[in-house]
Amino acid sequence: MTYAASFRVWRGDVTGGDLQDFTVDVNEGEVVLDVIHRLQATQAGDLAVRWNCKAGKCGSCSAEINGRPRLMCMTRMSTFGEGDTVTVTPLRTFPVIRDLVTDVSYNYDKAAQIPAFNPRPREADGSHRMQQVDVERSQEFRKCIECFLCQDTCHVIRDHEGNKGAFAGPRYLIRLAELDMHPLDVTDRRDAAQDDFGLGYCNITKCCSEVCPEGIHLTDNGIIPLKERVVDRRFDPLTWLGSKIGRRPKD
Amino acid sequence: MELERHEYDVVVVGAGGAGLRAAIEAHENGARTAVVCKSLLGKAHTVMAEGGIAAAMANLYPEDNWRVHFRDTMRGGKMLNHWRMAQLHAQEAPDRVRELEDWGALFDRTADGLISQRDFGGHRYARLAHVGDRTGLELIRTLQQRTVALGIDVYMECTVTRLLTDDDGVTGAFGYWRESGRFVAWQAPSVVLATGGIGKSYKVTSNSWEYTGDGHSLALQAGATLVNMEFVQFHPTGMVWPPSVRGILVTESVRGDGGVLKNSAGNRFMFDYIPDFFRKETAETEDEADRWYDDKKNNRRPPELLPRDEVARAINSEVKAGRGTPHGGVFLDIASRRSAEYIRKRLPSMYHQFKELAEVDITAEAMEVGPTCHYVMGGVEVDPDTEAARVPGLFAAGEVAGGMHGSNRLGGNSLSDLLVFGRRAGLAAAEHALKRIDRIALPDEALADAARAALAPFDREGGENPYAVQHDLQQTMHDLVGIIRTAPEMEQALERIAALKERVANLSVEGHRQYNPGWHLALDLPHMLVVSECIARAALERQESRGGHTRDDFPATDAEWARTNLVCSRAPDGSVALTRQPLPQMPGELAEIFEEVS
Ligand code: SF4
Ligand code: SF4
Ligand code: FES
């Protein structure tokens, strides 16, 4: 059941690096992260990698496995043949810090720029009443574990570093969608979505939805509805007027 | 020495639920506040919590109130809880849940549009506010977004290696950036420890790498005390197969939502393990237990929902008696009892987890589960109202603090604990800081000493590999200070810990300071060892069985021990000293609750 697997792991830092070859034992039921940990414990004590939960819940262990953005803790070794070489490289869209660890501060910067949640007042009895069907739309996006695999895969920033200033990436477009659909929130972020977070850059290739380990339908349920609402707003003079002359609850 | 320096009123160590809630409160009370955390923001172990937040909101059962919650908590802890903490917790939890909604949290709803609440072990009424089975993620994301909105400074991927003190108390903290290995010092009159638990000292655990007991150890070194360290909770249901996922949590909600435990003969064995203490409130037959899910008024709870210590011990006994599953666990079956649609809806993460990691479809087959080290009830001894430790300016909240849960924690009481006591700690830390802000300094000598200690593993050559030492410690605690304990085994554990200490003094690491996990582990190991020593010493001393502490050689509870706490402190020679301390007794009006609610 135990076999010796061939691994190629990118090692290096901001000044450069390369793929290094390892032969390492793999046991039944293991995932890629187990093998990376075995390398750390036996062959490369200083191999840098992020992880926390080892159960697909924290979104720390993102990397590219054979070129595909994946969680290392949720990629079973049984999905590869025993003779296959498994190549593990850091997320390409973000600057490398060391080995498999990248600088993901772009994401935290974008998160901080989004206008904060802003609820309507509580009801007289101190509660907020909402129906399950109404919370479910935003709940889908709140499943996000911030693994940033969607950010890594989106061509708008993967292939064009220069777009990072203008485009917040799929994770933050669905955060905007989440707030827009939140039953309690009263801030209108539609202009901001378009002007500050680059909603218009997205051309609905759906690559982000394909890599999401939480199975969130980023494009169909988040980005496309948000685009539609931005269009509504821009072409509806009454909406436009209403938002300029007074606080108007979201429709 | 290259050193980055900062000044704050309050520094919070740890960015899980307790840390973030403390930081928010300190900030809102005017304190210049920083959070320092070992991982990226939003990755703390709180995300792993699945079931929910216990709070007597009475959204589903109007009969529920703080008194019932208080009683359940004390009984779950086998009456060793600090009564005042259990009282504050039960009283304040509902407000702490409600304010999360004002910060954007979206809980599952009742038919009336209120926050829905679910059943959990040891809670008399359905009481856990939840979001499917990912409540911890919702909590952490909500607090993270609030922290960011308030503009609180967060030092991510930064490890604190030492607390700095003078004769009058805390003066700050010293640490390093994991990314660069460069040193940082924070000057601050108040430090809140919110570092979580100790599970990484055990081989089979649901805890992440961050749970090295560093907060417990930092507190001890700074002169604070630890209470109840012998009480370690083994969650009854961790995954057992495949080996690489062994220990990963299977939420108690599986049982709350109808799942039952069976042995290899197909028997619901929990009926054979109902202790007298809970007999009155537990169903006697499978029929009654099954009726309870729909009619809680006229039926008693299924024994699968007894407190965690009872269930973990029962599973342990079944496996030992040869009635376990092929991989050494027992079966947790919800597939034969609920529809596939219901299971996927109520337990989406569990469905996903088993499908992806074990190739098991939980809507079609039973899961294999067994006990896993999950939580330490023991922790920093604090004042219940302010979470102040014995060192002025040092506060502790969440899992790193002791007292609240007594000898055993009920499921759902952890997330509420984080919020209630995180807030109280943040408030008290902000108030303390105002009194002392202009009167502290960080002497160069202390900083240089902290730096020297941190770099020592690089200076040694040909020493021990930290991964090997960690492995041996985990094996020792697993084998000798686990669920069932005996004096000779614990004495042996203490000998091995002493030998491991010598090996830790001789660690060496390769590479350089930039993002070097071997070095990080070398700095974590002394914490793990001192905490393991506290657990083993206290467990050896307490000659009775209670909650999360089971002695094969002393199987019964003991009236004298029922009134006694064990407190660990640091002796002048650096070893762990143990003292007995009377358990604080609750006032008469609270004691009455145990008579009025049957
Ligand atoms: S759908 Fe839009 S956001 Fe998603 S990957 Fe394609 S361009 Fe990027
Ligand atoms: S939306 Fe999905 S892929 Fe993107 S960060 Fe969240 S969990 Fe990861
Ligand atoms: S380690 Fe948490 S998602 Fe992989």
Side-chain angles (χ1 to χ4, degrees), chain B residues 122-236:
Chain B
H123 292 281
R124 184 173 171 91
Y125 298 110
R127 187 179 280 149
L128 270 67
H130 61 274
V131 187
D133 53 3
R134 56 163 190 88
T135 314
L137 174 65
E138 186 71 11
L139 184 95
I140 205 89
R141 203 63 83 226
T142 302
L143 294 174
Q144 169 187 351
Q145 286 162 349
R146 179 76 180 164
T147 300
V148 169
L150 293 173
I152 295 170
D153 291 346
V154 182
Y155 295 79
M156 296 198 271
E157 300 197 302
C158 210
T159 301
V160 169
T161 60
R162 215 174 253 198
L163 297 178
L164 303 165
T165 53
D166 64 15
D167 291 344
D168 298 319
V170 166
T171 54
F174 179 92
Y176 64 91
W177 289 103
R178 300 176 76 82
E179 177 181 329
S180 62
R182 280 201 284 272
F183 293 126
V184 205
W186 299 268
Q187 180 173 313
S190 293
V191 170
V192 180
L193 293 172
T195 49
I198 59 97
K200 270 295 145 187
S201 291
Y202 283 85
K203 191 172 123 191
V204 178
T205 177
S206 63
N207 293 176
S208 84
W209 66 266
E210 297 197 88
Y211 271 35
T212 55
D214 46 357
H216 291 78
S217 159
L218 291 171
L220 208 59
Q221 283 168 41
T225 45
L226 307 180
V227 66
N228 292 349
M229 289 304 288
E230 63 275 37
F231 298 109
V232 176
Q233 180 170 80
F234 289 81
H235 193 291

Side-chain angles (χ1 to χ4, degrees), chain A residues 33 50-62 71-74 145 147, chain B residues 43 47-48:
Chain A
L33 186 61
R50 278 196 188 104
W51 68 286
N52 281 69
C53 68
K54 213 173 163 293
K57 292 182 200 294
C58 74
S60 301
C61 65
S62 307
L71 295 177
M72 284 185 275
C73 72
M74 295 301 275
I145 58 173
C147 64
Chain B
K43 309 297 181 196
V47 306
M48 296 290 286

Side-chain angles (χ1 to χ4, degrees), chain B residues 128-458:
Chain B
L128 270 67
H130 61 274
V131 187
D133 53 3
R134 56 163 190 88
T135 314
L137 174 65
E138 186 71 11
L139 184 95
I140 205 89
R141 203 63 83 226
T142 302
L143 294 174
Q144 169 187 351
Q145 286 162 349
R146 179 76 180 164
T147 300
V148 169
L150 293 173
I152 295 170
D153 291 346
V154 182
Y155 295 79
M156 296 198 271
E157 300 197 302
C158 210
T159 301
V160 169
T161 60
R162 215 174 253 198
L163 297 178
L164 303 165
T165 53
D166 64 15
D167 291 344
D168 298 319
V170 166
T171 54
F174 179 92
Y176 64 91
W177 289 103
R178 300 176 76 82
E179 177 181 329
S180 62
R182 280 201 284 272
F183 293 126
V184 205
W186 299 268
Q187 180 173 313
S190 293
V191 170
V192 180
L193 293 172
T195 49
I198 59 97
K200 270 295 145 187
S201 291
Y202 283 85
K203 191 172 123 191
V204 178
T205 177
S206 63
N207 293 176
S208 84
W209 66 266
E210 297 197 88
Y211 271 35
T212 55
D214 46 357
H216 291 78
S217 159
L218 291 171
L220 208 59
Q221 283 168 41
T225 45
L226 307 180
V227 66
N228 292 349
M229 289 304 288
E230 63 275 37
F231 298 109
V232 176
Q233 180 170 80
F234 289 81
H235 193 291
T237 58
M239 292 176 79
V240 296
W241 187 258
S244 72
V245 299
R246 186 152 184 198
I248 292 179
L249 198 64
V250 180
T251 176
E252 194 166 321
S253 318
V254 176
R255 284 169 283 140
D257 289 346
V260 296
L261 293 164
K262 291 179 184 166
N263 61 21
S264 56
N267 295 327
R268 272 178 81 174
F269 58 84
M270 279 309 300
F271 286 95
D272 305 333
Y273 294 91
I274 303 168
D276 288 338
F277 193 71
F278 293 109
R279 197 168 295 283
K280 253 175 45 191
E281 59 208 76
T282 309
E284 267 164 61
T285 64
E286 295 194 17
D287 282 346
E288 180 180 3
D290 287 346
R291 285 195 304 268
W292 172 86
Y293 290 99
D294 299 316
D295 177 6
K296 298 194 167 67
K297 285 217 178 79
N298 299 309
N299 298 286
R300 292 169 297 174
R301 317 168 55 79
E304 280 85 2
L305 289 175
L306 282 165
R308 289 175 175 175
D309 54 328
E310 309 289 352
V311 184
R313 268 193 302 272
I315 294 175
N316 200 64
S317 306
E318 285 297 303
V319 175
K320 265 204 175 148
R323 294 188 290 271
T325 64
H327 300 114
V330 295
F331 292 111
L332 173 58
D333 172 27
I334 191 166
S336 73
R337 296 172 50 86
R338 295 288 182 268
S339 73
E341 197 201 345
Y342 176 91
I343 297 169
R344 272 196 298 266
K345 176 102 196 149
R346 298 280 293 192
L347 303 162
S349 307
M350 281 306 107
Y351 176 73
H352 191 66
Q353 180 174 316
F354 272 88
K355 193 105 195 151
E356 296 287 321
L357 294 174
E359 286 170 17
V360 166
D361 177 355
I362 67 167
T363 67
E365 36 183 330
M367 297 162 247
E368 279 183 74
V369 296
T372 176
C373 177
H374 184 54
Y375 189 89
V376 62
M377 274 64 76
V380 180
E381 191 188 18
V382 292
D383 169 67
D385 289 72
T386 62
E387 312 343 298
R390 282 200 203 169
V391 178
L394 186 63
F395 302 82
E399 189 170 351
V400 69
M404 161 67 204
H405 304 288
S407 68
N408 175 52
R409 175 174 69 76
L410 293 186
N413 273 359
S414 179
L415 294 184
S416 40
D417 167 1
L418 306 181
L419 296 169
V420 168
F421 296 108
R423 175 185 155 277
R424 284 183 162 268
L427 179 63
E431 283 172 358
H432 174 85
L434 290 180
K435 285 185 264 169
R436 214 168 110 83
I437 186 65
D438 294 326
R439 284 182 272 142
I440 57 169
L442 297 182
D444 289 341
E445 201 188 313
L447 297 171
D449 189 54
R452 252 193 318 275
L455 291 177
F458 285 112

